[in-house]
Amino acid sequence: MSAKPSLSLPRLNSIQWFAQVSIPLVVLAAYCVAFRWLVVAYRPLPAGVNLNFVQNLLPLALLVAALAAALALLFKQRVALQPPAPGGLQASDALLVLLPLAPIVQYVLNNPGLLSPRQVAILLVIFLVAALIMVLLVPALLSGSADVPLLRAIGMVTAFLLNNMAAMSADFKWFEQGNFAIQLGIGVGLVALASLLYRSRQRGLLLVLVVAFFASNTLLQIGRVEDSSSTQDINSHPLLAAGLPGEPASRPNVYLLIYDAYVPNETMRGYGLDNQAQEDYLRQQGFTLYPRTYSIGSYSVATMTPVLNASTEYYGPSRTGASGGGVVQQLFHTLGYQTYGIFPSDYFFRGIGSSYDVSFPNSRPAGSVLFDAILTGEFRFDIGFDAISASDYLSQKAYLFSNIPAEPVFLYSHSNFPGHTQNSGACLDDELESFQRKLNIANEEMQADLGLLLANDPDAIVIVAGDHGPYLTKNCYSLGGEYPLDAVTRLDIQDRFGTFLAIHWPGNDHAAYDDIVVLQDVFPAVFAYMYQDPALLQAHRVEPVTRYTPETISGAAVQDGLIVGGADDGEPLFLSE
């Protein structure tokens, strides 16, 4: 009698099964540990979507690896297992790194003018090396003991997800915490597809798909790039071309103190808040309030560069005016003023540097900020804001306000408080409470600033203003694409384009020179006061029409103080007198 064939398998089959499934998952866990070390220990960054993703993925990868090992031991004598797939490296495999590089190229193209060629090269090299390690090197090193197609797929997709997370966060409106089910579903689907195609006769199809995705994504971004810079020569501005009319009647120091996203009390009341006490404080300090002022732009650069150019033109890169190279700073230079730019971060200097005579802080390379945003997994507006401590910024202001230079001074300072929402496109549960807390901080900072400044320089022109609204209504972000025009209300428009404005004039004779409609009229009004010439304001005031990012309010607008379109079409933007 012949013996029955044995169903027992060599122990090697169990090890092979473990290698095919568990080792790639252990490698994935190692990637998670390495990334966490990078963003927590080596380059400390704010908790963000990417960090939360890898911290959720790490225990799951280890758990599935352990289960795979247990199943290998349990079924080693029942199932005939296939050996690991061959892992010979082919030259064409290098094309697989294009998938994780595609988002990096997208981000570079979406930030024209911010990055120098050297910074672009450094970014691309860093992420290329990371992709080569994860997609080619690690699988090659483990080719004798693990499934190479699975390793390559895991490396390629993990690198792609981490690099692309910032774009996904924008699409899904994530802030700090993403949806792990969505992230995992996308990752598992891509790994399964890439692994199956790689190990089959359709290996070429996988390469074609990767190259096609890279090419189409790049071409699409090239088509979408909107460069907000201007090629118009700054010297063509009428005030620079013709020059100011001789000697001014007075040369007071001029301080422009911006508190981000600060709005008048009419808008505050629309949120259910009351800031009347702060406005009363400013009146007691001799400030004149302009409660119906708005900006032609709805974000900092689109407001402040036109303010400091006294024009709707950018005259070069969009940050030129705010970074010290604007028309206003140049005019003050012609009058013998020293210009100061004191900020809590290098936001306005990115990609262009500072043109102020004295500035704080030093500028970081814009590529470093973009690198941090990619690692964080979110294009948060405040990336890089923590590079300078708040106390250092406040100390710089306090020192200058306590030690007024002998020569005439123009100073622009821009506080982070109260600040706008997190711009994810979805309001957080405590959005209004958070704004109120930060408003209290802004009010305390403002009183500290003015307490020093008015005590040490009582004859100065002091401009206290917001640059835009805090975006607290509806989706806490741009309304375009989500809300129809007829759903846009007066409060929605105030909440995005409204600006607080109060000015401390040296005397009581300012009424003839301060017919201000939009925030961008401020410096024509200041020069009109200095020259005692109302015609300067009338000749150089900015057209009072909202013009930047009209999609922010679904295509509505404000023209000469009146709403155009929306639920309150034809009515005043502000009702306060």
Side-chain angles (χ1 to χ4, degrees):
M1 180 183 293
S2 61
K4 293 181 180 179
S6 172
L7 294 178
S8 64
L9 296 171
R11 187 170 179 80
L12 180 61
N13 283 323
S14 175
I15 296 174
Q16 289 170 350
W17 200 89
F18 174 78
Q20 287 184 17
V21 179
S22 295
I23 290 181
L25 289 170
V26 170
V27 170
L28 175 60
Y31 292 151
C32 293
V33 171
F35 184 85
R36 189 183 186 284
W37 171 83
L38 174 63
V39 301
V40 172
Y42 179 75
R43 192 180 183 91
L45 296 174
V49 174
N50 265 339
L51 179 58
N52 280 291
F53 170 61
V54 299
Q55 291 184 153
N56 287 326
L57 185 60
L58 174 58
L60 181 62
L62 292 175
L63 175 62
V64 176
L67 290 175
L71 288 172
L73 294 173
L74 181 62
F75 295 107
K76 67 179 180 179
Q77 294 188 349
R78 300 184 186 180
V79 181
L81 302 172
Q82 297 295 323
L89 178 63
Q90 298 183 18
S92 58
D93 288 342
L95 293 174
L96 296 176
V97 302
L98 292 179
L99 182 66
L101 279 184
I104 309 304
V105 173
Q106 173 183 332
Y107 304 149
V108 167
L109 291 175
N110 283 340
N111 289 277
L114 279 182
L115 305 175
S116 68
R118 180 175 179 272
Q119 291 169 354
V120 171
I122 290 173
L123 272 176
L124 292 177
V125 167
I126 289 173
F127 287 100
L128 174 60
V129 169
L132 289 171
I133 291 172
M134 297 172 70
V135 179
L136 300 181
L137 179 60
V138 171
L141 293 175
L142 297 175
S143 61
S145 58
D147 181 54
V148 170
L150 184 57
L151 277 170
R152 289 210 200 288
I154 285 176
M156 177 176 67
V157 173
T158 302
F160 170 73
L161 284 177
L162 292 173
N163 293 351
N164 194 55
M165 197 67 75
M168 290 174 61
S169 294
D171 290 339
F172 289 106
K173 299 178 174 58
W174 293 335
F175 176 70
E176 291 188 350
Q177 182 73 51
N179 187 314
F180 185 61
I182 293 176
Q183 295 163 336
L184 186 63
I186 293 173
V188 170
L190 289 176
V191 166
L193 176 63
S195 178
L196 288 172
L197 288 177
Y198 188 92
R199 72 179 70 247
S200 71
R201 295 179 180 179
Q202 305 303 319
R203 189 177 194 175
L205 177 60
L206 173 62
L207 300 176
V208 169
L209 290 174
V210 168
V211 172
F213 175 80
F214 178 86
S216 61
N217 188 67
T218 300
L219 291 173
L220 182 62
Q221 300 312 314
I222 292 174
R224 286 181 176 176
V225 169
E226 296 181 6
D227 189 354
S228 56
S229 65
S230 166
T231 57
Q232 187 167 340
D233 183 6
I234 192 170
N235 293 309
S236 66
H237 188 285
L239 278 170
L240 288 177
L244 289 167
E247 290 295 313
S250 63
R251 296 175 192 261
N253 290 335
V254 180
Y255 302 91
L256 174 62
L257 308 182
I258 299 294
Y259 300 86
D260 198 83
Y262 207 100
V263 287
N265 204 37
E266 177 179 327
T267 309
M268 296 285 190
R269 289 196 300 267
Y271 306 140
L273 305 176
D274 189 352
N275 201 37
Q276 188 62 48
Q278 189 74 0
E279 295 194 355
D280 290 343
Y281 162 79
L282 288 167
R283 290 188 178 93
Q284 292 165 7
Q285 301 303 312
F287 279 80
T288 300
L289 271 64
Y290 302 82
R292 306 183 72 162
T293 307
Y294 59 98
S295 173
I296 64 173
S298 61
Y299 57 95
S300 296
V301 171
T303 289
M304 297 314 302
T305 284
V307 163
L308 291 159
N309 279 336
S311 170
T312 58
E313 276 290 335
Y314 281 142
Y315 299 110
S318 59
R319 283 172 161 81
T320 298
S323 68
V327 171
V328 168
Q329 293 96 327
Q330 293 198 31
L331 289 170
F332 277 120
H333 273 139
T334 66
L335 296 174
Y337 280 67
Q338 285 276 99
T339 61
Y340 290 72
I342 309 300
F343 305 98
S345 77
D346 67 340
Y347 175 78
F348 288 116
F349 302 156
R350 290 175 188 170
I352 191 170
S354 170
S355 298
Y356 292 98
D357 296 320
V358 178
S359 62
F360 178 88
N362 293 326
S363 182
R364 293 175 66 201
S368 177
V369 178
L370 180 56
F371 181 67
D372 289 349
I374 296 169
L375 293 183
T376 304
E378 301 170 69
F379 287 125
R380 290 162 51 163
F381 71 92
D382 58 354
I383 287 291
F385 279 20
D386 58 353
I388 301 298
S389 70
S391 61
D392 285 347
Y393 163 64
L394 296 176
S395 295
Q396 286 287 327
K397 284 202 296 183
Y399 177 82
L400 284 170
F401 296 164
S402 302
N403 299 273
I404 309 299
E407 68 274 6
V409 169
F410 166 71
L411 179 143
Y412 168 31
S413 175
H414 195 124
S415 171
N416 286 336
F417 292 101
H420 53 74
T421 60
Q422 27 70 42
N423 284 2
S424 68
C427 297
L428 302 180
D429 293 339
D430 66 341
E431 204 79 73
L432 184 59
E433 292 80 3
S434 176
F435 177 76
Q436 185 165 25
R437 288 193 300 271
K438 293 184 291 184
L439 176 63
N440 293 335
I441 295 172
N443 286 341
E444 291 174 4
E445 181 182 338
M446 186 187 299
Q447 291 193 26
D449 290 342
L450 297 180
L452 288 173
L453 195 50
L454 296 180
N456 292 290
D457 201 354
D459 296 325
I461 295 176
V462 183
I463 304 156
V464 172
D467 55 344
H468 51 71
Y471 288 70
L472 288 169
T473 68
K474 289 190 167 64
N475 64 351
C476 294
Y477 193 47
S478 175
L479 304 179
E482 294 196 32
Y483 297 89
L485 179 59
D486 59 8
V488 177
T489 67
R490 174 185 287 108
L491 181 59
D492 294 328
I493 302 173
Q494 289 181 12
D495 180 52
R496 289 155 177 81
F497 286 87
T499 55
F500 179 84
L501 178 62
I503 302 178
H504 180 276
W505 299 97
N508 296 319
D509 57 343
H510 56 82
Y513 315 104
D514 69 345
D515 182 21
I516 296 169
V517 178
V518 292
L519 190 64
Q520 288 71 26
D521 290 337
V522 161
F523 284 103
V526 166
F527 289 122
Y529 177 84
M530 291 171 62
Y531 279 87
Q532 301 288 286
D533 183 1
L536 274 176
L537 172 60
Q538 300 308 320
H540 300 289
R541 67 164 59 255
V542 173
E543 184 183 9
V545 180
T546 53
R547 56 186 291 121
Y548 299 111
T549 59
E551 67 276 7
T552 301
I553 45 177
S554 298
V558 183
Q559 183 167 0
D560 202 18
L562 299 177
I563 297 170
V564 179
D568 301 298
D569 182 38
E571 298 184 15
L573 175 61
F574 290 101
L575 302 178
S576 301
E577 294 296 334

